[in-house]
Amino acid sequence: MKRPIIGIPSSISTDKRTYFIGDNYDYNNNNYSKSIINALGVPIILPATKNLDVLNYQLNLCDGFLFPGGLDINPLYYSESPKPLQNKSNELMDWYQITLAKKAINLNKSILGICRGMQLLNVVCYGSLYQDISYFKKNHIKHNQENYLGEKTHLITTINNSLVNSLLGNKYIVNSGHHQCINKLSNCFKATSYAPDGIIESIEMINKKFIIGVQWHPEILALKDLKMLNLFKKFINSCK
């Protein structure tokens, strides 16, 4: 049986060691690959590039894409200036992932966006973000947990007739490792779950087979949590 090929765009880290200072490294947390493999997909890491010929080759090579967590998205992409609590972004990483996501959506490729990846999907489709959750509301719950992300930390409530509701039921406890959240939701998406403070925890694109974003980190929970693994299985099956 042919296994779908899932492209994972790389994050970028700048080396600070004296003899490599300024060099960039492509990387991703290995749990993304583990979860794709456990769901019977084949993960490949996609290095960021501004070479459009290479990007298009990557696009056509893959059956689906997982956009991972990572750095903040430059707020210029949603027409805002940076505020004091905006964290580090990377120009190449932003341009590459946004360009790749736009092309993948136009081709109706299956996409799973995780944490930054969910925020990226919203920005690509002309939504916006709160640059820090405190700009949304002061009395929010803790969304950037200090415990290991393999532990669950807060409740979400899902919306009927959504994929996350079918997988997780009406309520579920998830992990949480983010300081930004969705502000204006793109008209292309519907919100399908919420945290107790009203922050959007998952989105699903309207009239697409599988373009979904979740704010938590299922790739870590899926190693022990069957319901989270089933999210990856649904994703992989949609790529066939």
Side-chain angles (χ1 to χ4, degrees):
M1 179 181 70
K2 181 180 182 293
R3 292 191 176 198
I5 296 174
I6 307 301
I8 310 174
S10 66
S11 298
I12 294 177
S13 174
T14 302
D15 203 323
K16 296 180 181 179
R17 293 174 294 175
T18 301
Y19 41 92
F20 288 123
I21 195 162
D23 282 354
N24 287 330
Y25 288 77
D26 295 300
Y27 76 97
N28 265 317
N29 188 311
N30 187 242
N31 289 316
Y32 297 112
S33 296
K34 286 179 183 176
S35 293
I36 288 170
I37 290 168
N38 289 343
L40 302 182
V42 177
I44 60 172
I45 304 300
L46 304 177
T49 176
K50 281 202 169 180
N51 185 315
L52 276 173
D53 287 339
V54 172
L55 187 151
N56 286 326
Y57 196 96
Q58 292 172 333
L59 179 73
N60 294 324
L61 179 67
C62 298
D63 301 301
F65 295 90
L66 188 158
F67 285 86
L71 303 176
D72 289 357
I73 299 163
N74 190 322
L76 292 176
Y77 278 106
Y78 46 94
S79 303
E80 289 187 12
S81 297
K83 295 183 178 180
L85 296 180
Q86 163 77 11
N87 285 346
K88 183 179 178 182
S89 59
N90 180 280
E91 189 272 336
L92 172 60
M93 185 174 157
D94 284 344
W95 181 89
Y96 171 76
Q97 292 192 10
I98 286 170
T99 303
L100 183 67
K102 284 180 179 178
K103 289 175 174 285
I105 290 169
N106 287 337
L107 291 174
N108 200 24
K109 299 266 188 177
S110 292
I111 298 173
L112 176 60
I114 293 176
C115 198
R116 167 196 158 96
M118 181 183 92
Q119 297 167 5
L120 182 96
L121 291 175
N122 188 53
V123 169
V124 163
C125 296
Y126 307 104
S128 67
L129 306 177
Y130 286 104
Q131 294 181 38
D132 188 80
I133 291 169
S134 63
Y135 298 134
F136 168 52
K137 58 169 58 178
K138 296 299 180 185
N139 296 321
H140 59 81
I141 66 172
K142 188 174 181 67
H143 284 270
N144 198 0
Q145 70 186 66
E146 295 180 30
N147 293 347
Y148 172 58
L149 278 171
E151 301 176 18
K152 299 178 182 180
T153 186
H154 75 71
L155 188 72
I156 62 168
T157 300
T158 66
I159 302 301
N160 289 335
N161 301 315
S162 65
L163 177 76
V164 292
N165 180 267
S166 69
L167 291 173
L168 305 179
N170 294 329
K171 295 184 183 295
Y172 209 72
I173 299 176
V174 298
N175 56 6
S176 193
H178 63 106
H179 83 105
Q180 297 191 320
C181 63
I182 287 178
N183 180 357
K184 176 183 176 291
L185 180 64
S186 163
N187 293 332
C188 299
F189 286 95
K190 61 179 181 179
T192 57
S193 67
Y194 293 87
D197 54 11
I199 285 175
I200 294 173
E201 288 285 331
S202 60
I203 59 176
E204 299 177 20
M205 184 168 272
I206 300 165
N207 298 324
K208 292 288 186 179
K209 61 176 182 177
F210 195 107
I211 299 179
I212 290 170
V214 298
Q215 189 60 77
W216 64 91
H217 282 270
E219 78 283 0
I220 300 177
L221 297 178
L223 303 179
K224 295 181 179 179
D225 186 328
L226 182 58
K227 288 186 177 181
M228 290 298 169
L229 179 59
N230 284 340
L231 172 63
F232 283 90
K233 288 181 176 179
K234 284 277 189 182
F235 170 47
I236 298 303
N237 286 337
S238 74
C239 297
K240 293 178 179 178

